Each structure stands twice: as C-alpha cells, then as structure tokens.
Amino acid sequence: MFNPRLTPRWRRDFRAASTLYSSVPGTLVFLLLVSACSPGRGADESSPELLVLAASSLADVLPEIAADWSRSGRGEVRASFDATSRLAPQAASGAQADVFVAADEHWVRWLVERGAVDAKSARVIARNELVAVVPRHGPLPSGPRGLRELDRIAVGGENVPVGRYAREALEAEGVWEQLAGRVISGGSARSVLEWVARGEVSAGIVYRTDALAEPDVRVAFAFGEATHPPIRYWAAPLASGRDSAAAASFVDFLSRPEGATALSAAGFDPGDPAVRLGQGGGAPPAGTLPSVGSAVRLSLLVALLATLAGLAPAVGLGWLLARRDFKGKAIVSTAVLAPLVIPPVVTGFLLLTVLGSQSPLGRALSSLGLPVPFTLVGAAVAAFVVGLPLYVLSVRGAFEAVDPLYEELSWTLGVPPRSTFFRISLPLAIPGIAAGAMLAFARSLGEFGATVVLAGNVEGSTRTIALAVYTLLEAPSGRESTWTLVGASVALSLLALVGYEALSRRQRRRLTDDAR
C-alpha cells in the first residue's frame, strides 16, 4: 500500500534520476547501453555484415542467396525490402547500406546522378516478365482487352516500377483510358498480389515471379516485351557503404552461378552482366502527381465523417465506462482502446478481413450497395476505428468530471434516469465531448496505415493527405507539392489540437465554477 510518508524521499530520488539521465554523462551512458544491445558487425572484421536495399519482388529469393553467401564464410547479409521508388531516395540520402538492388534502370541512373552509385559497378543480375493475374477461382480474361470487362484492377503506384510498367503496357495495348477509373494503386507488387489473392480486386498486374509465389492466384496472360521497357534487376554497391570491397564482391556473387541458380529457381530469367547503364534519364517521369486540393478536401471529409460516426458510440461507451461497474468492464475497455496500441496496418488488415468482399458482412454490405474496400466509406471506417479510442477516453473523462450528486439529486426529485442523462449529465459534459471530437478529428486527419490497407490509394476517392505525401515521396519532381501538403497537414492538425485545448479548459473552468 502506498505510504504518504515516503513521498518526499520518492520525489528526491526521482529528481536525482531525472538529473542523471538528462545530463550529458547520462545521455552518453544511455547511448552506450543502446550500442551494446544493438547487433553489430561482429568481432571478425574480415567477415563484415552487409545491408542490402532490395526490390520487394526479391523478398523470397534474396534471403536464400544471403544464406549461401554466409555459409561460404564471407559474412552476414541483412536485407530491407520495399518498392525501388522508396528505397532509392533512402540510398540517395546516405542510408548506411552497402548494396542496392533495383527493379528499374531509371532509379539506378538517378542514384548515379547523385553520386550514390558508380555507373561502372552496376550490373544486370536478372530479368522478369509482366503478367496479369486473377483470383484462383475468378474469371479469366482472354487478354489485355478482356480486362475492360472486369470490375477493379490493381496495379502498383505511379512511381513504383511494377506500376509504371503496367501503365505503359496498358497504354500500349490501347485500354488504359477505359480502365483508369477502376484502377487501384498498391504500394508494391506484393500488395497488389495480396489484394488479388484475397479476391478484393478482379485482376492485378505483377511480375511473373510474384505470381508463381502465390498459390491463390493464376496467371491470365503475359504482356509482350514490346509494350513496356525491359524489366531488368540491377545491383550495385552504394557509395555510403561501410565496406566497398565486400559490397562489390556480393554484387559479383549475385551474378555468378551461385546467385543465378537461386534466381532461376525462383522464376527469374538470367541477367546479362555485360549490359551497362544507358545514358541520361534519371528517375522516370512521375506522371500525374496527386492533386493537393483533392487530398485536402478528402482528408477533411473523411475526418468529418469519422468524427460524426463516432459521436454516438463514443458518448455511449464513455458514459458506460464512467458511470457503471459491470462484469467484463475491463474487457470492454481493452477492446475499445486496442486500436491505440495495435499497429494501424494490422488494424487495416483486420478490417479488410471483416469487411472485405469475401467475408459474409462484406458481401451483405456490397449487396446493399455499400462496398467498403477501396471506397470513401472504407477510408472513413478506417479513420473511425483508429480515432475512436481517443474519442472514448475524452468522453469518459468528461462524464467522470461531472459530480454524480447532480444526477442523484435529479433522481430524488423524481426525474427518470434517461431524462436525467439528457437534461443534466450530457449538458455538463458537452465541452469535454466536443474536445474529444476535436481530438478524434485530428487523429483521423493523419490516419495512414489502416486506410492504405482497407481503402487503397485511389486518386480523387481515398487518397488523403497522408497517402498523397506517401505517393509524392516516390516522385522527386513532386517536392513542391509535398511541402504544400505537409504544411496543410500540420496546420490542420495543430488547429484541431488548439480547439481541443480550448474546449478542455472550458470544461475544467465550468466544473470549477459549479463546484464553488
């Protein structure tokens, strides 16, 4: 049990600890502890650890090649997988990585222009093919023109290599104009593949190797090589690497029989190390950049819808948790607060599982004309779920701040509990409820993870500020628009927080005046 007599001593100890860890020596001690706990390059510097930035389509095969490299006694290899368009800016900004493996020549040339890669050291280690895939039991289009008969088609983002190849192939086939309004943009070939495998879209355009790795899809057709640039995988040591000799040796290993055998087993075509980088170019054209006005408008609309939809549940749950003790209260409170601690991407995945077109609830909503995935409704649902915990916490605090004596006095005068709630409790808690609404609104404005999984990244429909910034980060030519959206996001969020603080102060002042 807490002993009040220990409070002064506890306060002294706390201040001493705070002084220690806020001092320079304390900071150094903390950094040394972190460094000691962090995985290092090992004691044997002759076997260095390499970090490889690699295209996500290599996620299945590169670990096998890295294991072969390690078994040969040459050191350990770790890999970071993502779309080439997101890895290239990281490499250009001086990321502590050793090797870059791209699925697009343009981005390698872009790195060469910025001094991050030596053009002479880059080489082609593999080639791939562009294919259209459909769910395993879905209809099979006869060719590119058959895609016009399908509902939704998923492709990579505008600057993701697989997305750029797909758009160029569809344009060459003369069907892009008819399909543009039904295209859903994914973050990489793997996210497109996941949507197809789950049956959330009718078809997707990915690399052949991705299709081979997913049993729940089947290849409908392959695009001709003449419809898009050659899909070549380039590997090169990075200038920011810590061991250039080991990095160059690993690039050689990828193109020699040891690496080529593993790549061929995964479905890649052999590369041609004799091919050298072309001249000029730089990063590929960004295409149509996200609309700043559309992103701001959609963010405000989604946040407003989520806040309005959360009003009744937040008030009901907040009052219940503040005024009632019941069996299972801890479980209810935990369930309400769970989205605060669960990663938003995981929350989006769970929502997609529950509300997707393959779930009973999702099919029922679709039959009523209310499909959730890849729609504005889906974006609002994602924002509602992620923002609800903050909403409920604020509302619960508002009701707990209302003196129960007011309610008890009302009951003694014969006023029913329901009327007491609407005439006494709710009016006294309104400033706190409004503050909670502002906080939930601010959280909804910044929602990203759950939205991109459940609602996708559809221009003019679900591309909010966060998603637009994420898209622009892959387009070097979109830096001005990026800063505009960043400024708008910060301004709107801070404005909402100012409103929250003002309403919170009003609630405290009102309760203080009532107490007097």
Side-chain angles (χ1 to χ4, degrees):
M1 186 173 180
F2 181 75
N3 188 348
R5 290 177 295 177
L6 297 181
T7 300
R9 180 179 178 182
W10 178 85
R11 288 177 176 171
R12 287 196 302 272
D13 292 342
F14 180 78
R15 284 197 296 269
S18 300
T19 302
L20 171 65
Y21 284 100
S22 63
S23 65
V24 172
T27 303
L28 292 176
V29 170
F30 174 76
L31 293 175
L32 288 173
L33 289 173
V34 171
S35 300
C37 296
S38 300
R41 298 179 68 90
D44 184 7
E45 290 298 329
S46 63
S47 300
E49 182 182 75
L50 299 177
L51 175 60
V52 180
L53 303 181
S56 60
S57 50
L58 295 166
D60 293 327
V61 65
L62 192 58
E64 297 180 12
I65 298 176
D68 292 338
W69 169 271
S70 299
R71 281 192 291 268
S72 67
R74 306 181 193 185
E76 298 295 323
V77 173
R78 295 181 294 119
S80 174
F81 298 102
D82 206 338
T84 299
S85 52
R86 284 189 287 276
L87 293 175
Q90 296 175 17
S93 63
Q96 292 298 305
D98 302 282
V99 177
F100 183 74
V101 185
D104 186 2
E105 178 179 342
H106 287 87
W107 284 106
V108 181
R109 293 208 305 263
W110 185 77
L111 289 175
V112 170
E113 292 176 357
R114 282 150 184 78
V117 164
D118 182 2
K120 297 180 181 179
S121 65
R123 62 189 61 194
V124 179
I125 62 169
R127 293 179 294 115
N128 216 331
E129 187 179 19
L130 193 68
V131 299
V133 295
V134 296
R136 185 172 52 184
H137 302 296
L140 197 65
S142 57
R145 297 188 179 278
L147 294 175
R148 295 178 298 182
E149 302 173 3
L150 303 181
D151 183 16
R152 293 182 182 133
I153 294 92
V155 302
E158 292 91 329
N159 298 287
V160 176
V162 70
R164 186 171 59 85
Y165 293 138
R167 284 168 173 80
E168 292 188 17
L170 293 173
E171 287 176 357
E173 295 287 354
V175 297
W176 172 253
E177 293 298 330
Q178 295 93 332
L179 297 177
R182 289 174 277 161
V183 167
I184 308 296
S185 296
S188 66
R190 291 307 174 97
S191 60
V192 170
L193 195 67
E194 177 66 18
W195 285 338
V196 178
R198 295 174 63 87
E200 300 300 338
V201 294
S202 303
I205 300 177
V206 296
Y207 299 127
R208 183 186 63 208
T209 52
D210 293 310
L212 294 176
E214 176 53 66
D216 289 329
V217 305
R218 56 177 176 162
V219 176
F221 59 87
F223 288 92
E225 293 184 359
T227 62
H228 58 81
I231 303 174
R232 297 183 180 129
Y233 287 76
W234 291 81
L238 288 169
S240 60
R242 295 159 291 186
D243 192 323
S244 58
S249 180
F250 183 72
V251 171
D252 289 337
F253 187 81
L254 289 172
S255 58
R256 289 204 300 265
E258 298 96 325
T261 300
L263 289 166
S264 297
F268 290 88
D269 292 327
D272 186 357
V275 175
R276 293 296 178 233
L277 283 174
Q279 297 297 321
T288 303
L289 295 177
S291 168
V292 173
S294 174
V296 173
R297 176 180 59 81
L298 280 172
S299 292
L300 292 172
L301 180 58
V302 166
L304 181 61
L305 290 175
T307 304
L308 292 176
L311 178 60
V315 171
L317 289 168
W319 179 85
L320 184 68
L321 295 173
R323 285 290 187 260
R324 291 288 184 267
D325 287 322
F326 54 91
K327 190 175 182 180
K329 181 178 180 179
I331 296 176
V332 173
S333 179
T334 301
V336 170
L337 299 180
L340 273 181
V341 294
I342 295 176
V345 172
V346 175
T347 300
F349 174 79
L350 295 175
L351 289 173
L352 186 62
T353 301
V354 173
L355 300 173
S357 60
Q358 301 305 305
S359 70
L361 180 57
R363 284 195 296 269
L365 291 172
S366 296
S367 65
L368 297 174
L370 292 173
V372 175
F374 313 116
T375 64
L376 180 64
V377 174
V381 168
F384 161 77
V385 172
V386 173
L388 185 62
L390 296 176
Y391 214 162
V392 173
L393 281 175
S394 296
V395 174
R396 179 180 182 176
F399 280 117
E400 287 176 341
V402 176
D403 194 336
L405 287 176
Y406 295 126
E407 299 168 345
E408 294 172 3
L409 181 60
S410 176
W411 298 337
T412 60
L413 295 175
V415 180
R418 186 171 184 177
S419 299
T420 296
F421 172 79
F422 285 104
R423 296 172 61 181
I424 304 295
S425 307
L426 187 60
L428 290 175
I430 277 180
I433 295 173
M438 294 300 295
L439 193 59
F441 182 84
R443 178 63 186 87
S444 298
L445 279 174
E447 167 49 30
F448 171 79
T451 304
V452 75
V453 175
L454 180 64
N457 188 3
V458 185
E459 176 67 29
S461 179
T462 66
R463 182 173 283 172
T464 57
I465 290 177
L467 291 169
V469 170
Y470 183 71
T471 302
L472 287 168
L473 289 176
E474 302 170 349
S477 60
R479 182 164 298 180
E480 182 177 347
S481 297
T482 302
W483 279 110
T484 301
L485 285 170
V486 168
S489 178
V490 172
L492 290 172
S493 299
L494 292 179
L495 187 62
L497 289 177
V498 168
Y500 165 76
E501 286 294 335
L503 290 167
S504 296
R505 285 198 302 272
R506 181 178 178 183
Q507 170 81 347
R508 291 192 296 268
R509 185 167 57 249
R510 182 175 181 177
L511 292 173
T512 302
D513 293 341
D514 290 341
R516 292 175 182 173

